[in-house]
Amino acid sequence: MAATVAVLLVAACSSRGDTPRLDQAYVDDVIDASSRALSAPQFRDHPTSTVATPMPVVDGPEVQSTTTTDPARAVEVELLDLTNADRAVVGARSLTRDADLDDYARAHAATMMAQGSISHSRIETLLGAWWFVGENVGTGPAALAIQGAYRASPGHFRNLTHEDFTTIGVGVVLDAAGRIWTVQIFAA
């Protein structure tokens, strides 16, 4: 089974009164799957591009158990550990979890699962409390498969390892078949 992922970064500095904006460097890495079946995701071009490049899809082993008894929370912990391990490789400090961002991420993961497709939330609504936010969304059979797809995509990897991010919210829901639907919210 394959993992499908999408990335979004919104940056704003509320102290200067800037308005939220999409960082155009990330547009090539966004999967516009909100109206498409997961088996046939569509890729959006950068405004100056002529050809979109699909992101690699990665298979992986099943989710390993952790100390929590809730399988979705165990996957959240695994994704956080994998993210912090990726950050350590590039010399970025570990991210700390924020309960409000976790709740936000879980709510959007549930929405994606109910819709049967991945899509981005309106993370710009988080600005004010945070000056810089980013979002990775994905679905797949295992945390390692999803993380592998994030690693293989320049935009996802930028979110995972961006030196300005200090905080993360991780949300996971599992559908009846055990497929993982996840949202990672990065903030500073």
Side-chain angles (χ1 to χ4, degrees):
M1 237 186 235
T4 304
V5 296
V7 64
L8 180 66
L9 176 83
V10 173
C13 185
S14 58
S15 64
R16 291 185 301 191
D18 292 346
T19 57
R21 61 180 168 74
L22 178 65
D23 184 331
Q24 292 298 313
Y26 285 71
V27 174
D28 282 333
D29 297 312
V30 176
I31 297 175
D32 182 5
S34 60
S35 62
R36 306 286 185 203
L38 288 174
S39 59
Q42 299 296 307
F43 299 88
R44 188 167 58 187
D45 286 338
H46 187 281
T48 60
S49 297
T50 57
V51 178
T53 304
M55 282 185 274
V57 177
V58 180
D59 288 323
E62 293 305 311
V63 175
Q64 301 298 313
S65 63
T66 64
T67 57
T68 181
T69 59
D70 181 339
R73 300 302 80 83
V75 175
E76 289 175 1
V77 169
E78 184 177 5
L79 286 167
L80 175 64
D81 290 346
L82 290 167
T83 296
N84 281 332
D86 289 341
R87 292 177 65 81
V89 168
V90 300
R93 66 182 168 270
S94 293
L95 299 173
T96 57
R97 286 184 82 175
D98 178 88
D100 291 335
L101 292 179
D102 283 349
D103 291 344
Y104 181 94
R106 286 180 191 129
H108 188 62
T111 297
M112 292 189 315
M113 184 188 71
Q115 293 172 345
S117 64
I118 60 173
S119 61
H120 285 289
S121 68
R122 297 187 45 83
I123 61 171
E124 65 271 14
T125 62
L126 298 171
L127 295 169
W130 304 98
W131 68 273
F132 189 56
V133 295
E135 178 178 60
N136 286 349
V137 299
T139 185
L144 192 56
I146 296 168
Q147 192 78 10
Y150 289 158
R151 289 175 183 143
S153 160
H156 292 94
F157 194 71
R158 280 190 296 265
N159 274 352
L160 291 174
T161 61
H162 198 291
E163 65 186 25
D164 288 341
F165 289 133
T166 60
T167 308
I168 190 171
V170 183
V172 167
V173 295
L174 305 174
D175 64 20
R179 187 169 186 86
I180 298 166
W181 296 82
T182 186
V183 175
Q184 294 176 319
I185 302 293
F186 303 92

